[in-house]
Amino acid sequence: MLNFKLLFLCGIFSLCVTNASAQKQIDYESRHDVAVGIGGITNTRFITVLGEITQVMTSATITSIVSGGAASAYYTYEDKSWSIPVTAEYFYRVNRFLGVGAIGAFNCMKQDIYLNTTYKDGTQTTEKDGRLRQYNLTLLPAVKFDWLRREHIGLYSKVGLGASFMIERQKEDDGDKLYSSTDVMFNFQVSAIGFEAGNLHVRGFAELGIGEQGVFVAGLRYKF
């Protein structure tokens, strides 16, 4: 009876090892990893909040046109809004632990520009005169570390270092350009922990970290 139990346990153990090995082999076949997602609280948004946009001053010509020389005018910026940050990434799996690739990210900030006019008699008028747009485009070469990689779930971390292009455009509603600039800044993404779940090819994922993808990132991943 004892020998039978030992044989039975050995058989179960062998079956489990064989099954686990088969799962690892299947899982190892997917070397390409493409993902799209959305995030929040990005570096470029944080920097924009801390800094100031370029305040355009009205020229003497504008003041004269608006009031015939009998008033002064200036611009103000209101109604700031942000688009949802979107992100895309690709990794090529070098081995069971390491993947190399790149992360792309985009977000946009919008504001309305108002022309405020004060006349000599003390009356004031405010009217929408233009719009401001700031487009933030980011590219980060990156590496991904797979801590747990199974048939239906995975745990990972990733790090990306690169640059963001912050493109600012200010225009009047009639199309006249008020101001434009393009700044380049160092940027990064560090996702301390990422969790994914699904099948061998399509998975949902969520990450916690800091950087241009955001403090929290979620989306879909395709492996092939």
Side-chain angles (χ1 to χ4, degrees):
M1 180 63 70
L2 181 59
N3 290 335
F4 176 77
K5 289 182 177 180
L6 288 175
L7 289 173
F8 179 76
L9 291 175
C10 289
I12 294 295
F13 178 75
S14 299
L15 181 62
C16 291
V17 171
T18 302
N19 185 54
S21 299
Q23 286 192 15
K24 290 180 180 179
Q25 183 177 0
I26 292 172
D27 183 56
Y28 189 70
E29 290 179 356
S30 60
R31 288 191 174 272
H32 304 277
D33 188 328
V34 180
V36 293
I38 59 175
I41 316 179
T42 65
N43 284 349
T44 48
R45 179 168 182 172
F46 183 71
I47 291 170
T48 301
V49 170
L50 289 180
E52 292 291 336
I53 62 171
T54 304
Q55 299 280 339
V56 176
M57 304 298 294
T58 57
S59 66
T61 302
I62 294 176
T63 300
S64 178
I65 292 175
V66 170
S67 62
S72 61
Y74 63 96
Y75 289 121
T76 56
Y77 299 80
E78 301 177 21
D79 306 322
K80 180 186 290 186
S81 64
W82 286 86
S83 66
I84 296 175
V86 295
T87 181
E89 61 187 44
Y90 168 78
F91 288 96
Y92 176 77
R93 195 171 170 206
V94 178
N95 54 42
R96 297 195 60 79
F97 176 68
L98 177 66
V100 296
I103 298 169
F106 172 80
N107 65 70
C108 175
M109 185 268 286
K110 303 177 181 180
Q111 276 190 293
D112 291 329
I113 303 174
Y114 287 84
L115 182 64
N116 304 269
T117 307
T118 302
Y119 296 90
K120 288 186 176 180
D121 61 5
T123 59
Q124 297 180 335
T125 60
T126 299
E127 59 181 5
K128 182 178 176 300
D129 189 64
R131 60 193 181 278
L132 177 151
R133 299 289 185 270
Q134 179 179 300
Y135 305 99
N136 301 310
L137 303 169
T138 302
L139 180 62
L140 309 173
V143 292
K144 181 181 177 185
F145 308 99
D146 285 296
W147 308 115
L148 175 67
R149 193 173 173 94
R150 292 294 182 265
E151 185 176 355
H152 296 291
I153 62 172
L155 292 175
Y156 60 91
S157 302
K158 69 184 183 188
V159 178
L161 301 174
S164 289
F165 297 87
M166 305 175 70
I167 305 166
E168 182 180 334
R169 299 289 185 265
Q170 297 187 36
K171 292 183 179 181
E172 292 185 316
D173 288 335
D174 61 9
D176 290 343
K177 183 184 296 183
L178 294 174
Y179 175 83
S180 66
S181 70
T182 300
D183 296 320
V184 181
M185 60 167 276
F186 167 79
N187 215 333
F188 66 93
Q189 175 68 30
V190 177
S191 293
I193 185 66
F195 173 77
E196 60 184 33
N199 57 39
L200 287 176
H201 298 292
V202 180
R203 295 185 177 185
F205 71 89
E207 300 175 8
L208 291 176
I210 185 172
E212 189 53 29
Q213 286 184 292
V215 173
F216 177 78
V217 188
L220 289 175
R221 172 167 286 117
Y222 178 66
K223 300 172 180 285
F224 61 99

